[in-house]
Amino acid sequence: MRACALFSSVLTALGFAVFVATALPPARAADAPDPAADAKAFRDYFVKKFPKVKLDDFVNGPYSMNEDMRKQWEEKEQFPPYEFALEAGKEMFATPFKNGKSYADCFANGGIGVRQNYPMFDEKEGKVVTLELALNRCREANGEKPYSYVKDEMASLTAYMAFTSRGKPFDIKIPADPRALEAYQEGKRYFYTRRGQLNFSCATCHVQSPGERIRAETLAPALGILNAMPIYRSEWSGMGTISRRFTTCNSQIRGVPLEPQSDEYRNLEYYLSYVSNGLPISGPGARP
Amino acid sequence: MAPLDFSPLRRLILKGAGLAALTGLGQIGLGLPAAQAASDKYPEDAFKQKSDADAIKALYGRSADASEQIKLDAPEIAENGGVVPIAVITTLPGVTSISFLVSENPNALAASYVIPEGTVPSVANRLKMAKTSNVIAIVEANGKLYSATREVKVTVGGCGG
Amino acid sequence: MASTIRVRAINSGDITEVQALIQHPMDSGYVKDAQGQTIPAHFIQQLTFEYDGKAVFVADWGPAVSKDPYVKFAFKGAKKGDDLKVSWVDNKGASDATTAKIQ
Amino acid sequence: MSRTIGAIALAAVLLPATLIPARAASDADFKTAYAAADAAEKQAGALRNQWTTTEAALAAARKAAEAGDFDQAVAQAREADALAKASIFQATSEKEAWKALEIK
């Protein structure tokens, strides 16, 4: 019986894929990537789709588009559930490593008010470096074990760093390096690529249907979605990082998540952050 | 007494001001302390009851009448059943305790608050709700029991995938 | 170890508004872990706020109060700079207490 | 057009997977079916596009085989194989198809 259910779901997924494939316009010549034009089109799309939402309010995710939820959120924000993580992060950030150095030594401006610059493209490595990755590299360079990317300490540290950057607009740069443009383009491809048995892309939920409910959740708009990270999700009963958000999104559409901080996720974060340039950092955030 | 417009009042309270508006109202009567509410003893038995009616009986020994003077503030649709912000404020005088019940939870009684003299009869807290249910606020005032009820919808949480 | 209790007590005129957030799992006893084992109930039963030697607010909680519980109330008679004592005890007998300055 | 043909071919592969084998399946049948599914899933892995449902079917196949229920083990392995092939098909067609969704 279970076999039948599976069988039909395979067919459904396939049927969907075939439909999409055949409905495609003939492949057009690959235009050269133009991140600035992409970002403008991206922002314009959301502004047009949600004329009542102020641009900066998109960083508040589903709360920007649902009054009843917004009220519950404001209630929560009076004493936000990320408070403990934020305090722990502040303490961790100030505590030196065994070698006497600290996180502050690894970052510009001692790590204060810099979250809006991440991820950045590292021209030496030729790859995107996210804040989570930079934090673990900082630990390892100082003889400390890396943290899990998805929650707990990593969420606390990034919560504190985001908090010191609240209100600062995302300022992601794509240097004149073909590898940077390639990383951006790969991130964009990941964002729009359908995957998982449900045949969903990131865009299916967060571009086409923000504000709508899927199962029990109200979908957040992709514009500004990373500005609030890390987040305390009631559904998780705890904090989660960008890595956690990406991996759980993948498994929700029945795709096997990639390893946190894999090239794909790094590129995806680069793309998503870039197209939200100009919108303020609002993390840490609270979400349903 | 002039009817209170609750929503601006609540907003004022959220800002931590405007509470003075209420203080004249809550503290009339002698506050006949009911046995349960006045004691420091944890009402174990009441928390073990399954239905709202049994829990109210175990806690107070009688049933409550609906009152327009209780404002129960709860969302229409809980964004997550695990964290539902629920608040109550009342203009009833002589309040000695305020309790919250979620009718459809395995055990209906969620929280019960002792309100000594000098404390404003207003409480906000966050409760878990297993599913769509009535939420009942009970206010004990001048030895009598009053209630307000609201339905809160809870959609199935998470997808477990 | 850092306190499990966060308190904000803000005085304005005769009224002091108190908000508290407590770090506690508040396990209901109805949830199973990843291995399918029921997580035993573990929740704060009583939370007490004392001012000037008297209880100004007592919360009796069951397991239906949310994880990391939050409560807000207000009382009369305190001044800025006064102490507010907060303490809790859970169903396993664990407890914590702190004293906050009214702001 | 080749995509459509691919899908039909795939559907043809899928059909026998749900049929009850005429005779009881053996350990060898399971191993053959599982190896095929595992190979397809590895290919999906190389395309960075595995499905959780494929993994679940593979696990169910292993579990059934351990319990000596080879009919069930073979059925699960074939499902896993079909799912893995569908995920490969998805990843392959999405190499170009993603562009249709892009905001321009």
Side-chain angles (χ1 to χ4, degrees), chain A residues 31-168:
Chain A
D31 340 21
D34 183 351
D38 286 354
K40 186 180 180 306
F42 201 77
R43 199 165 42 211
D44 288 351
Y45 169 87
F46 284 97
V47 169
K48 206 174 143 197
K49 192 174 170 86
F50 300 100
K52 286 190 194 142
V53 178
K54 286 198 200 98
L55 184 61
D56 282 356
D57 206 23
F58 280 104
V59 302
N60 297 317
Y63 300 124
S64 62
M65 32 199 67
N66 182 313
E67 201 46 47
D68 191 41
M69 284 180 69
R70 191 182 186 96
K71 228 181 102 190
Q72 297 177 60
W73 172 56
E74 284 169 353
E75 194 85 31
K76 274 198 304 194
E77 283 286 332
Q78 289 194 48
F79 221 135
Y82 50 73
E83 184 98 358
F84 291 108
L86 182 54
E87 276 183 42
K90 186 176 180 180
E91 214 173 292
M92 287 166 66
F93 197 86
T95 309
F97 302 127
K98 284 186 230 75
N99 68 3
K101 293 202 171 176
S102 71
Y103 293 108
D105 298 318
C106 298
F107 293 92
N109 198 38
I112 304 303
V114 300
R115 191 270 172 266
Q116 72 282 359
N117 301 323
Y118 285 85
M120 49 175 68
F121 191 81
D122 182 337
E123 294 189 67
K124 255 185 261 154
E125 190 189 351
K127 284 186 175 188
V128 171
V129 176
T130 65
L131 184 60
E132 293 166 21
L133 190 61
L135 277 162
N136 261 351
R137 285 185 174 173
C138 176
R139 292 183 58 77
E140 290 180 288
N142 288 289
E144 305 280 337
K145 283 205 181 95
Y147 286 136
S148 151
Y149 277 111
V150 289
K151 48 188 176 178
D152 302 330
E153 292 95 342
M154 186 57 80
S156 295
L157 281 168
T158 52
Y160 174 65
M161 291 183 79
F163 188 76
T164 67
S165 312
R166 270 194 178 177
K168 291 181 192 282

Side-chain angles (χ1 to χ4, degrees), chain A residues 207-266:
Chain A
V207 170
Q208 295 172 3
S209 321
E212 290 171 27
R213 292 179 87 90
I214 178 163
R215 297 177 182 179
E217 308 184 38
T218 301
L219 296 165
L223 181 66
I225 199 168
L226 297 183
N227 298 52
M229 296 287 169
I231 48 174
Y232 184 102
R233 276 199 91 187
S234 303
E235 193 195 319
W236 296 335
S237 290
M239 297 291 295
T241 58
I242 291 172
S243 291
R244 186 172 189 184
R245 184 62 282 194
F246 286 168
T247 52
T248 51
C249 268
N250 274 172
S251 49
Q252 279 171 327
I253 57 164
R254 300 188 193 154
V256 175
L258 305 175
E259 30 331 316
Q261 302 300 324
S262 59
D263 288 349
E264 287 89 344
Y265 286 155
R266 286 158 74 177

Side-chain angles (χ1 to χ4, degrees), chain D residues 10-52:
Chain D
L10 201 43
V13 173
L14 288 171
L15 281 170
T18 55
L19 296 177
I20 298 156
R23 57 165 179 87
S26 67
D27 184 29
D29 295 335
F30 160 69
K31 287 203 170 102
T32 309
Y34 190 88
D38 193 47
E41 180 65 343
K42 285 212 169 74
Q43 200 189 332
L47 292 164
R48 310 288 275 166
N49 192 42
Q50 291 175 333
W51 291 357
T52 52

